[in-house]
Every structure is written in structure tokens, then in C-alpha cells.
Amino acid sequence: MAGKIETLEQVAEVLESQGYDARLVPDEAVMVDVGGAEQPFAAVITRNADGAEFVLTCQLAALGDLDEELSTQFMLAALDANTAIRPFAFAVISDTDDSKLAEPEQWPVVLTSSVPVGDLSEGELCVAMDGLWRALTAAAPVLKLGITK
């Protein structure tokens, strides 16, 4: 595909051409598995509210998966790791982001980043997906620290 990537349909096409199993949810998102074949992480690509960015979000766990005794250590390690995994960052999707997430135990722990839509090329999208893989690899020690379930 040549030219700019401006739609989720184009995102799905590019990811499929790169060997990803990309699934388009029309007008909402592109779903793609990242990581190992046995237990891949679920990544989602959406457009932000004003449509200016594609947001890449990859769920790692839920807050309920964290060992309560280690949750403070996990959160501090995640904040510290954010500098190593740039442009991705650890985040939590709470009930302020999604009203269906009433209980904190349900809140997803994610890696997230965004790329501008304006001049996004196939190469830049591939770089973003490679960055997600590097962030997942760098995040592994943090996940091992706090997730015991």
C-alpha cells in the first residue's frame, strides 16, 4: 500500500500485509494479537476522540490479577519502566474511561501509545508495532513482579 494511512480499514490492510492476524471491527477498531502464538496479548488500534491519532492499546492484565501485597511495588516499577518503553507507557483503563468497568478489579492494565493520522505511512505503522513488541519485552520483568494469578 502506498500513500498515507488514514482509516482503520487501511490499518488492518497494512497489518495483514505484514503477517498480522488483523481483525477489523467496522468504524470502531482493529484487533490484533501480539506476542507468542500460545498466549498472545490482545492489542487494539482505535482513533482518538478528535480523529487526529490512532491509539495503540495492548492489555497485559487486569488490576484484579495483581497480588495486593505487591501492587505498590508493581505500580512503582511500571512508572519507572515507562522511560524504557517509550513511546509506549503503562496505564490503567478505569471507569472514567469505560463506564462498563464498575469494579477496580476489572480495570485493564495496558501498554498504550499513539501515532498521528496526518502523514502516517506503512513504515511508520510497522515501526509502531515493532515498538509495541519491544515494550512488551521490556515490560516482562514488571509483569513478573506483580502478577501472580
Side-chain angles (χ1 to χ4, degrees), residues 5-102:
I5 299 171
E6 297 179 341
T7 67
L8 290 170
E9 291 82 4
Q10 291 171 318
V11 168
E13 287 175 22
V14 169
L15 292 178
E16 287 173 357
S17 75
Q18 296 298 313
Y20 289 96
D21 179 21
R23 299 164 310 280
L24 178 66
V25 179
D27 300 320
E28 288 186 37
V30 175
M31 312 287 288
V32 61
D33 293 335
V34 180
E38 288 184 29
Q39 292 184 318
F41 291 97
V44 179
I45 302 170
T46 57
R47 284 187 92 138
N48 69 343
D50 68 5
E53 296 177 323
F54 288 117
V55 180
L56 289 80
T57 306
C58 184
Q59 183 169 347
L60 305 172
L63 279 183
D65 296 333
L66 297 176
D67 182 323
E68 283 189 46
E69 293 179 15
L70 298 173
S71 63
T72 300
Q73 288 176 292
F74 174 84
M75 295 298 180
L76 288 173
L79 284 172
D80 184 49
N82 279 344
T83 58
I85 63 174
R86 274 184 281 186
F88 282 86
F90 277 96
V92 174
I93 298 174
S94 70
D95 58 348
T96 59
D97 302 306
D98 184 345
S99 60
K100 294 179 235 156
L101 299 171

